[in-house]
Amino acid sequence: MKGKRLEGFLPLVGVIALLFVWSIATWQQWVDPVLLPSPLQTFRALWAGMNGGALGFDFIKTVYRTAASTVIAAVIAIPLGILLGSSEKLYRSLEFVIDFFRSTPASAMFPLFLVLFGVGDETKISVAAFGAMLVILFNVAYGVMNARKTRLLAAKVMGASRLRVLYDVMLLESLPQTFVGLRNGVSLALVIIVVAEMFIGSQDGLGHSVFEAQQLFEMPRMYAAIFAAGVLGYGLNLLFLLVEWRFVHWTGK
Amino acid sequence: MDAASHALRLQTTGVPSAPPPRQGSSKRPHVTIRGLSKRFDNTVIYDNFDLDIPRGQLISVFGPNGCGKSTLINMIAGLTPVDAGEILFDGMRLAEIKFGYVFQNYREALFPWLRAFDNIAYPLKMMKVAPAERKARTERLVARLGIKLDLNLYPYHMSGGQQQLVSIMRALVVEPEILFLDEPFSALDYEMTLFMREQLQKLFMESGTTMVMVSHDLEEAVYLADRVLLLSRRPARIADFTPVDVARPRADATLSDPEFVRLKAHCLEVFQREVRRT
């Protein structure tokens, strides 16, 4: 009983250990304090930045860009994935192209998208959407294709039309895999957005914040921005997991 | 079917293949299969196969591995296309009748996103029955069968036997004229299998629906059946169509009933003969 209650705190062990080692390292000056500020300094910078400082604004900018690119990617990729997945021949015809571009680092597309869209938000969002779209597309198509044959037959035997089977069975069957795609997609989108904010003439965003702090040698601020990016990535993943648990209750069952 | 096996069938069934005039509809065969042929690649599974399935009876299909037991009911139920031949239900085609099908793999046959109750009601939705009527009919079925299950659960929260019961109820909700069952209990443990046999017998006696069940367990096949259809090696012929005239409801005592034991031994003998034949 007591042991069970304590087990809930296990994830904190790693956090405490990290903070402990970090504190010792800065206190004993194992690392140059200029390169590694203490946890206290870092969290102070994080608090100041998020609480009315520039970091909060950058955070919101990055959230907006990541969300926009993920939404665009999902809106395109989910219907397309269902279409591709429901026709094996169509999927086989396009599989190589999808796999090729899925394997191409999306960051290699920046120059192309710069030419197409200029240096504004459109470029960042569209490159991230492009990367995320292929990941989501692949997973949705895969989920639809791997719909249990028995379930499709069962629906057919009960008199479901092809369209009904698609809507009532394939779509729902693909949801667990779709969520895998969405989680991977949003992670990739965040990576691309942060990189874009660092190097593609950006005035704001977490990537810009990290880069600028580094250029100005404001190390606590840089670490704070890194943490903010970590919190964002973790939070987005968690958000999708919670939505999945709520709506796709049968995952893995 | 060749002449010899045709003669054998007539001898064992005692029912002429042509319906006798004015003998009451219950004596007429329910399903008539004529000239059924099926091959997979180069393997001939059925070659000009004939069969009459009597109305309101539970038929077990038993035979050597890979002889096409499941293929037979899948062809009758329209899941597998036939190469040649005709399958009629009271002279009607499959599309004109209501039928049910119970899969071996209940876990993959049920819809995990629907509660058990909605799983059972789903075929009514396909028949475009209005929601209120769907609910009423499903509730009526549950009450009539007297099955005590929490139908608000999702299938994955139920035991294997309960899930299979839900699939059987889903197949019965449309009040089918015929019900097909493909090894319905073979994914269950022994204890659950025994329980499910009783449940199926109860459902059969309650509904009087014609049932065709593929089984890989001879005891189960004989225990549940009014007739055991014994198939030969491929290309499948009717090795025997043994009537099981043992009173219902059958129970544990039936297993030691001399007539049951004799019939089971007879079926085993036919089966062994067919397995050894090269």
Side-chain angles (χ1 to χ4, degrees):
Chain A
M1 189 63 195
K2 199 174 165 194
K4 270 268 178 280
R5 212 180 307 159
L6 286 178
E7 266 177 31
F9 293 105
L10 279 180
L12 288 179
V13 173
V15 178
I16 292 165
L18 177 71
L19 287 174
F20 182 73
V21 172
W22 184 4
S23 305
I24 299 280
T26 47
W27 179 49
Q28 291 289 318
Q29 305 217 339
W30 290 342
V31 189
D32 188 335
V34 178
L35 295 182
L36 184 67
S38 73
L40 198 65
Q41 278 176 296
T42 305
F43 288 113
R44 221 175 255 156
L46 182 63
W47 178 253
M50 293 299 279
N51 196 19
L55 188 59
F57 177 73
D58 288 326
F59 188 87
I60 291 182
K61 274 298 200 184
T62 304
V63 169
Y64 158 71
R65 288 177 186 134
T66 308
S69 49
T70 308
V71 167
I72 292 170
V75 165
I76 298 173
I78 293 176
L80 212 57
I82 291 168
L83 189 72
L84 285 185
S86 58
S87 161
E88 185 125 6
K89 278 194 190 119
L90 191 58
Y91 182 78
R92 294 275 166 252
S93 326
L94 294 176
E95 187 178 24
F96 177 77
V97 177
I98 294 169
D99 248 4
F100 183 83
F101 282 106
R102 198 169 61 93
S103 315
T104 309
S107 44
M109 308 296 272
F110 278 136
L112 172 65
F113 279 76
L114 276 172
V115 172
L116 291 176
F117 296 108
V119 287
D121 260 6
E122 291 94 335
T123 301
K124 301 179 188 71
I125 291 173
S126 51
V127 176
F130 174 80
M133 188 193 80
L134 289 167
V135 171
I136 300 170
L137 177 67
F138 174 81
N139 277 287
V140 173
Y142 198 78
V144 171
M145 263 189 303
N146 284 305
R148 309 292 161 84
K149 295 281 172 285
T150 308
R151 218 160 266 154
L152 301 178
L153 274 181
K156 198 185 141 201
V157 153
M158 291 186 279
S161 63
R162 267 194 68 140
L163 209 64
R164 264 269 167 228
V165 172
L166 185 74
Y167 184 77
D168 277 2
V169 186
M170 282 186 173
L171 195 65
L172 289 155
E173 276 274 284
S174 68
L175 273 184
Q177 195 66 33
T178 300
F179 268 91
V180 171
L182 283 173
R183 272 187 287 129
N184 287 336
V186 77
S187 297
L188 182 64
L190 180 62
V191 168
I192 297 170
I193 292 292
V194 168
V195 171
E197 286 167 348
M198 284 182 182
F199 302 114
I200 304 189
S202 202
Q203 301 305 313
D204 45 38
L206 286 176
H208 174 258
S209 182
V210 173
F211 193 66
E212 189 189 56
Q214 183 249 4
Q215 294 289 303
L216 300 173
F217 232 69
E218 294 175 16
M219 283 307 168
R221 228 190 89 201
M222 189 190 84
Y223 281 94
I226 292 173
F227 271 113
V231 167
L232 179 54
Y234 190 85
L236 286 174
N237 210 351
L238 192 66
L239 177 72
F240 276 98
L241 268 180
L242 290 176
V243 172
E244 181 176 359
W245 283 336
R246 175 71 185 76
F247 292 102
V248 195
H249 52 84
W250 64 92
T251 293
K253 297 200 168 124
Chain B
M1 186 166 28
D2 58 49
S5 61
H6 194 76
L8 178 64
R9 182 169 62 82
L10 289 183
Q11 181 206 326
T12 52
T13 62
V15 178
S17 52
R22 309 283 317 150
Q23 242 210 311
S25 64
S26 70
K27 287 290 174 200
R28 239 178 22 220
H30 189 172
V31 185
T32 48
I33 300 170
R34 292 292 175 269
L36 184 70
S37 296
K38 178 73 187 171
R39 57 170 62 207
F40 287 122
D41 297 321
N42 286 322
T43 314
V44 179
I45 313 282
Y46 286 95
D47 182 23
N48 207 14
F49 181 88
D50 295 348
L51 174 71
D52 286 343
I53 297 174
R55 176 182 310 280
Q57 293 199 358
L58 200 160
I59 307 297
S60 298
V61 185
F62 190 78
N65 259 336
C67 75
K69 302 185 284 280
S70 296
T71 307
L72 179 64
I73 70 163
N74 288 348
M75 285 192 295
I76 304 175
L79 289 179
T80 304
V82 303
D83 291 347
E86 188 181 53
I87 301 169
L88 292 175
F89 307 80
D90 284 325
M92 288 187 287
R93 305 201 170 277
L94 184 71
E96 299 171 85
I97 66 152
K98 287 185 290 185
F99 69 98
Y101 190 108
V102 177
F103 292 85
Q104 176 184 356
N105 192 342
Y106 47 81
R107 211 179 290 280
E108 291 196 351
L110 290 173
F111 298 145
W113 46 83
L114 296 181
R115 292 174 194 279
F117 189 92
D118 298 318
N119 262 288
I120 298 171
Y122 185 81
L124 296 175
K125 188 175 157 194
M126 291 305 99
M127 290 167 60
K128 304 197 165 52
V129 175
E133 170 76 6
R134 264 184 249 161
K135 187 161 179 282
R137 279 179 68 173
T138 307
E139 277 167 354
R140 218 154 51 221
L141 175 83
V142 173
R144 185 161 66 88
L145 301 179
I147 285 169
K148 287 180 180 52
L149 266 184
D150 183 359
L151 296 176
N152 276 318
L153 292 175
Y154 286 101
Y156 52 81
H157 281 142
M158 302 178 130
S159 74
Q162 291 173 334
Q163 290 184 44
Q164 194 58 302
L165 260 183
V166 170
S167 334
I168 295 174
M169 285 158 80
R170 179 174 76 173
L172 286 175
V173 78
V174 298
E175 289 166 10
E177 292 152 49
I178 184 162
L179 179 65
F180 303 99
L181 304 107
D182 184 13
E183 300 199 14
F185 310 140
S186 61
L188 301 174
D189 63 41
Y190 190 65
E191 190 185 334
M192 194 50 85
T193 302
L194 292 183
F195 172 72
M196 289 298 292
R197 281 182 198 170
E198 300 319 313
Q199 295 291 316
L200 183 66
Q201 175 171 245
K202 214 175 98 192
L203 294 182
F204 171 67
M205 290 173 65
E206 174 66 40
S207 66
T209 309
T210 308
M211 295 190 183
V212 185
M213 177 185 75
V214 171
S215 178
H216 72 293
D217 177 340
L218 184 59
E219 183 176 273
E220 174 180 293
V222 178
Y223 180 81
L224 284 172
D226 292 306
R227 277 210 129 107
V228 182
L229 175 66
L230 289 153
L231 294 176
S232 72
R233 274 182 182 287
R234 359 171 241 265
R237 291 169 298 98
I238 298 172
D240 199 5
F241 201 10
T242 316
V244 183
D245 291 322
V246 178
R248 288 186 195 274
R250 297 168 191 167
D252 290 346
T254 308
L255 297 176
S256 46
D257 179 292
E259 178 64 2
F260 176 82
V261 173
R262 188 188 68 75
L263 285 164
K264 199 181 133 192
H266 167 74
C267 290
L268 184 62
E269 196 189 307
V270 174
F271 174 73
Q272 296 281 29
R273 195 180 69 214
E274 290 304 326
V275 167
R276 284 196 205 102
R277 194 194 299 247
T278 46

